[in-house]
């Protein structure tokens, strides 16, 4: 007897094992081996495509560029690394912090955080994007990598 709780339930379907046949309640049919081979080949093709996209993104990031149509806040902050900025944050209503601003040099930015350093005090702040209201720069900001025009796909 198989110990897998999903066996025969339609969730566990390795090649050549019984699976529910359509239209036959409670009866099982043999899964064709060709179907599982096609599924494996399709999964391998999808993995290869994802690896190619990741390699392109890594190359673009290594060369100081960002992939097109990615004007997310963290990418804009990365493009302005080394510039002075004031980051405005609002914390939860019940917090004693309320609204605060932090002025410093942008050191790094990720999907959920930004790191700035205050050259006067030597402090570094790791700020969470969830509390971010807006960012102020005293001068011009880099929005897109040099030489790249903004091309966005149509919304669906």
């Amino acid at each position: 007897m198989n110990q897998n709780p999903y066996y025969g339930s339609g969730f566990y379907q390795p090649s050549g094992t019984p699976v529910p046949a359509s239209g036959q309640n409670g009866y099982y049919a043999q899964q064709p081996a060709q179907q599982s081979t096609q599924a494996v080949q399709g999964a391998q093709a999808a993995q290869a495509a994802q690896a190619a996209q990741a390699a392109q993104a890594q190359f673009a990031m290594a060369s100081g560029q960002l992939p097109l149509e990615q004007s997310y806040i963290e990418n804009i902050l990365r493009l302005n690394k080394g510039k002075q900025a004031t980051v405005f944050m609002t914390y939860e209503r019940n917090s004693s912090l309320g609204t605060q601003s932090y002025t410093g040099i942008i050191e790094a930015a990720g999907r959920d955080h930004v790191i700035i350093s205050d050259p006067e005090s030597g402090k570094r702040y790791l700020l969470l994007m969830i509390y971010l209201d807006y960012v102020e720069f005293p001068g011009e900001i880099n929005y897109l990598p040099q030489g790249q025009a903004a091309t966005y796909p149509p919304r669906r």
Side-chain angles (χ1 to χ4, degrees):
M1 180 171 174
N2 193 322
Q3 297 295 329
N4 189 325
Y6 298 109
Y7 186 78
S9 66
F11 292 101
Y12 182 75
Q13 301 175 2
S15 177
T17 59
V19 295
S22 61
Q24 298 176 0
N25 192 7
Y27 294 98
Y28 294 93
Q30 205 60 14
Q31 179 181 10
Q34 180 185 18
Q35 189 179 26
S36 65
T37 303
Q38 290 173 347
V40 169
Q41 289 172 345
Q44 289 172 343
Q47 288 175 345
Q50 287 176 345
Q53 287 176 345
Q56 282 179 330
Q58 285 179 342
F59 174 75
M61 297 282 282
S63 63
Q65 297 178 344
L66 296 174
L68 287 178
E69 71 262 337
Q70 295 215 1
S71 62
Y72 299 111
I73 292 171
E74 68 266 18
N75 292 336
I76 296 167
L77 291 171
R78 281 189 208 119
L79 288 170
N80 291 280
K81 182 178 170 182
K83 290 188 176 186
Q84 182 176 344
T86 302
V87 179
F88 293 87
M89 314 287 274
T90 299
Y91 299 98
E92 294 180 21
R93 292 182 192 165
N94 297 336
S95 170
S96 63
L97 296 174
T99 301
Q100 296 210 357
S101 64
Y102 303 87
T103 301
I105 306 298
I106 298 173
E107 288 192 2
R111 181 175 291 177
D112 64 347
H113 67 279
V114 60
I115 299 172
I116 64 169
S117 62
D118 183 358
E120 293 177 15
S121 68
K123 288 184 180 180
R124 286 182 170 71
Y125 299 96
L126 173 62
L127 305 170
L128 302 179
M129 292 286 196
I130 193 169
Y131 301 118
L132 178 70
D133 289 329
Y134 63 98
V135 180
E136 236 178 44
F137 293 90
E140 290 186 20
I141 64 171
N142 296 323
Y143 183 72
L144 293 173
Q146 294 176 345
Q148 287 188 3
T151 56
Y152 298 100
R155 291 185 181 221
R156 297 177 198 195

